[in-house]
Amino acid sequence: MAKMINKTLVLTYIYLLIYILLSSGVILYNKWVLSPKYFNFPLPITLTMIHMGFSGFVAFLLIRVFKVVSPVKMTFEIYVTCVVPISAFFASSLWFGNTAYLHISVAFIQMLKALMPVATFLMAVVCGTDKARCDVFMNMVLVSVGVVVSSYGEINFNVIGTVYQVMGIFAEALRLVLTQVLLQKKGLSLNPVTSLYYIAPCSFVFLSLPWYVLEKPNIDVSQIQFNFWIFFSNALCALALNFSIFLVIGRTGAVTIRVAGVLKDWILIALSTVIFPESTITGLNITGYAIALCGVVMYNYIKIKDVKAIQPTSDSLPDRITKDWKEKNSSDGGSPRGLELNDEEAPLITSRLSHIGRTQLGNHTAV
């Protein structure tokens, strides 16, 4: 049993490492592809559509052709009332987020993403899925002050890029809340493959509208680089990120995931300054981000405390892994319950890993 636990722990940290590498890699890769200074493909909507098209195609093969994954029971009513609006905000968050790469640095984008708890908390309160609380509100103020300080210290501050990124954050926040309100209350559980199967094509259609208006008239085929292997590998990384998140969900607890997310952010900020030398970080940047991060950590602590209050019997990681292992070997291999997270390309996983960590409690299956 001890050997089994040790092996499982090693696999857990390997999966976390793979997640951190893929998550950071997708962000840096997207920046490199879109930036006029590097690969020079300044068409963020087109790139996002390539990701959606590729992900939807692979999901179709896995479900309909190879039958590796079984489709869920999806009615027309659920698709129209749940999947369509979620897809719209998912597509918007990716569009806005990728567009921001054209105007601001990866490091500053990561600092702005500290606003994710603020946006999600506000959207949750507005939609009635969370209650306004003084302790949470004070954390949100701390995060906001930190982001303002970090923005003030940004040497290459760009209003357009900042607005796009903030819009992407609020679109993602609304998507997270809508997923909880619309989809999960109907008892529909989707894993990364089935979620992409339903979400990716719909997102592709939504993205085609702004693409036709904003990018199609400006596309000059003679001046655009198109390297099949570049775009294939880029889309493959985005798809692999979905599956790595699925592996991480089943093997870690909320605290481990949040620590990994914070570690990923710092690594990403450091790597971006090395890979993209024009990304200059000032002392005020770091000070502001540190202040915001304190607010995020405190917010995560409050949420974890709330979880423990509802679920008072908390196992240690080895004990929980052993318990999960036994359950998986005595059941049909269903998805773990109670913990959900998401990242740049994961459409239906309902909490942003390093910034919001909205833990859904006990009444639905994680994807």
Side-chain angles (χ1 to χ4, degrees), residues 43 45-46 208-221 224:
L43 302 170
I45 304 175
T46 303
S208 66
L209 300 176
W211 175 83
Y212 186 82
V213 175
L214 299 175
E215 290 190 358
K216 183 179 179 295
N218 300 320
I219 292 178
D220 186 348
V221 179
I224 291 178

Side-chain angles (χ1 to χ4, degrees), residues 248-269:
V248 167
I249 288 174
R251 291 183 175 271
T252 58
V255 177
T256 308
I257 286 174
R258 284 160 179 76
V259 171
V262 171
L263 178 63
K264 181 209 74 173
D265 285 345
W266 283 108
I267 291 173
L268 190 52
I269 290 172

Side-chain angles (χ1 to χ4, degrees), residues 216-238:
K216 183 179 179 295
N218 300 320
I219 292 178
D220 186 348
V221 179
S222 62
Q223 294 183 359
I224 291 178
Q225 296 187 67
F226 189 88
N227 184 310
F228 172 80
W229 294 110
I230 292 290
F231 289 102
F232 175 75
S233 60
N234 183 253
L236 190 62
C237 287

Side-chain angles (χ1 to χ4, degrees), residues 16 20 29 57 61 76 87-88 92 172 193 196 239 289 323 348:
L16 280 171
I20 290 173
Y29 205 168
F57 176 69
L61 291 179
F76 179 77
S87 299
S92 299
E172 172 68 0
V193 177
L196 287 173
L239 183 66
Y289 186 60
K323 183 179 176 183
L348 288 181

Side-chain angles (χ1 to χ4, degrees), residues 123-185:
M123 292 298 101
V125 171
V126 169
C127 294
T129 62
D130 207 343
K131 294 180 180 179
R133 294 166 49 179
C134 185
D135 54 351
V136 175
F137 177 76
M138 294 307 296
N139 287 335
M140 299 302 98
V141 172
L142 186 62
V143 171
S144 301
V145 169
V147 172
V148 170
V149 171
S150 181
S151 301
Y152 184 77
E154 176 64 16
I155 293 176
N156 300 312
F157 183 81
N158 182 283
V159 175
I160 295 175
T162 302
V163 169
Y164 266 114
Q165 183 57 47
V166 172
M167 287 170 61
I169 289 170
F170 275 89
E172 172 68 0
L174 191 52
R175 195 271 302 175
L176 292 176
V177 176
L178 283 177
T179 300
Q180 182 184 3
V181 172
L182 298 179
L183 200 64
Q184 293 165 358
K185 284 189 176 180

Side-chain angles (χ1 to χ4, degrees), residues 4-6 8-13 16 248-257 314-325 339:
M4 183 276 294
I5 293 175
N6 290 335
T8 307
L9 281 172
V10 170
L11 283 175
T12 297
Y13 292 116
L16 280 171
V248 167
I249 288 174
R251 291 183 175 271
T252 58
V255 177
T256 308
I257 286 174
S314 177
D315 297 328
S316 65
L317 179 60
D319 292 339
R320 193 179 64 79
I321 289 173
T322 304
K323 183 179 176 183
D324 290 346
W325 183 81
L339 177 65

Side-chain angles (χ1 to χ4, degrees), residues 28-323:
L28 294 171
Y29 205 168
N30 285 351
K31 172 68 175 180
W32 182 82
V33 169
L34 292 167
S35 177
K37 294 182 179 180
Y38 297 96
F39 187 71
N40 191 24
F41 187 80
L43 302 170
I45 304 175
T46 303
L47 182 66
T48 308
M49 290 177 72
I50 291 172
H51 288 180
M52 292 297 96
F54 179 78
S55 297
F57 176 69
V58 172
F60 176 82
L61 291 179
L62 292 175
I63 291 176
R64 295 299 180 184
V65 178
F66 300 110
K67 301 187 184 301
V68 176
V69 181
S70 301
V72 299
K73 211 171 185 182
M74 177 70 69
T75 66
F76 179 77
E77 185 262 337
I78 291 178
Y79 191 86
V80 171
T81 60
C82 299
V83 175
V84 170
I86 290 169
S87 299
F89 285 104
F90 177 58
S92 299
S93 68
L94 293 179
W95 163 27
F96 296 147
N98 281 339
T99 303
Y101 289 129
L102 296 175
H103 305 281
I104 54 180
S105 68
V106 171
F108 186 48
I109 285 174
Q110 292 306 116
M111 294 175 190
L112 287 174
K113 283 182 180 179
L115 282 173
M116 193 64 202
V118 179
T120 309
F121 176 68
L122 291 176
M123 292 298 101
V125 171
V126 169
C127 294
T129 62
D130 207 343
K131 294 180 180 179
R133 294 166 49 179
C134 185
D135 54 351
V136 175
F137 177 76
M138 294 307 296
N139 287 335
M140 299 302 98
V141 172
L142 186 62
V143 171
S144 301
V145 169
V147 172
V148 170
V149 171
S150 181
S151 301
Y152 184 77
E154 176 64 16
I155 293 176
N156 300 312
F157 183 81
N158 182 283
V159 175
I160 295 175
T162 302
V163 169
Y164 266 114
Q165 183 57 47
V166 172
M167 287 170 61
I169 289 170
F170 275 89
E172 172 68 0
L174 191 52
R175 195 271 302 175
L176 292 176
V177 176
L178 283 177
T179 300
Q180 182 184 3
V181 172
L182 298 179
L183 200 64
Q184 293 165 358
K185 284 189 176 180
K186 292 183 180 291
L188 190 64
S189 175
L190 302 176
N191 61 43
V193 177
T194 52
S195 67
L196 287 173
Y197 177 73
Y198 293 108
I199 292 290
C202 192
S203 297
F204 184 93
V205 172
F206 273 108
L207 288 167
S208 66
L209 300 176
W211 175 83
Y212 186 82
V213 175
L214 299 175
E215 290 190 358
K216 183 179 179 295
N218 300 320
I219 292 178
D220 186 348
V221 179
S222 62
Q223 294 183 359
I224 291 178
Q225 296 187 67
F226 189 88
N227 184 310
F228 172 80
W229 294 110
I230 292 290
F231 289 102
F232 175 75
S233 60
N234 183 253
L236 190 62
C237 287
L239 183 66
L241 176 59
N242 272 279
F243 298 137
S244 73
I245 291 173
F246 187 55
L247 292 174
V248 167
I249 288 174
R251 291 183 175 271
T252 58
V255 177
T256 308
I257 286 174
R258 284 160 179 76
V259 171
V262 171
L263 178 63
K264 181 209 74 173
D265 285 345
W266 283 108
I267 291 173
L268 190 52
I269 290 172
L271 277 177
S272 67
T273 59
V274 175
I275 297 173
F276 307 110
E278 69 276 7
S279 300
T280 305
I281 297 179
T282 66
L284 208 52
N285 279 144
I286 297 298
T287 301
Y289 186 60
I291 293 171
L293 195 60
C294 287
V296 173
V297 170
M298 290 168 63
Y299 176 81
N300 285 334
Y301 172 75
I302 290 172
K303 286 299 178 182
I304 292 170
K305 196 166 66 171
D306 290 345
V307 172
K308 288 181 178 179
I310 298 174
Q311 299 175 337
T313 56
S314 177
D315 297 328
S316 65
L317 179 60
D319 292 339
R320 193 179 64 79
I321 289 173
T322 304
K323 183 179 176 183

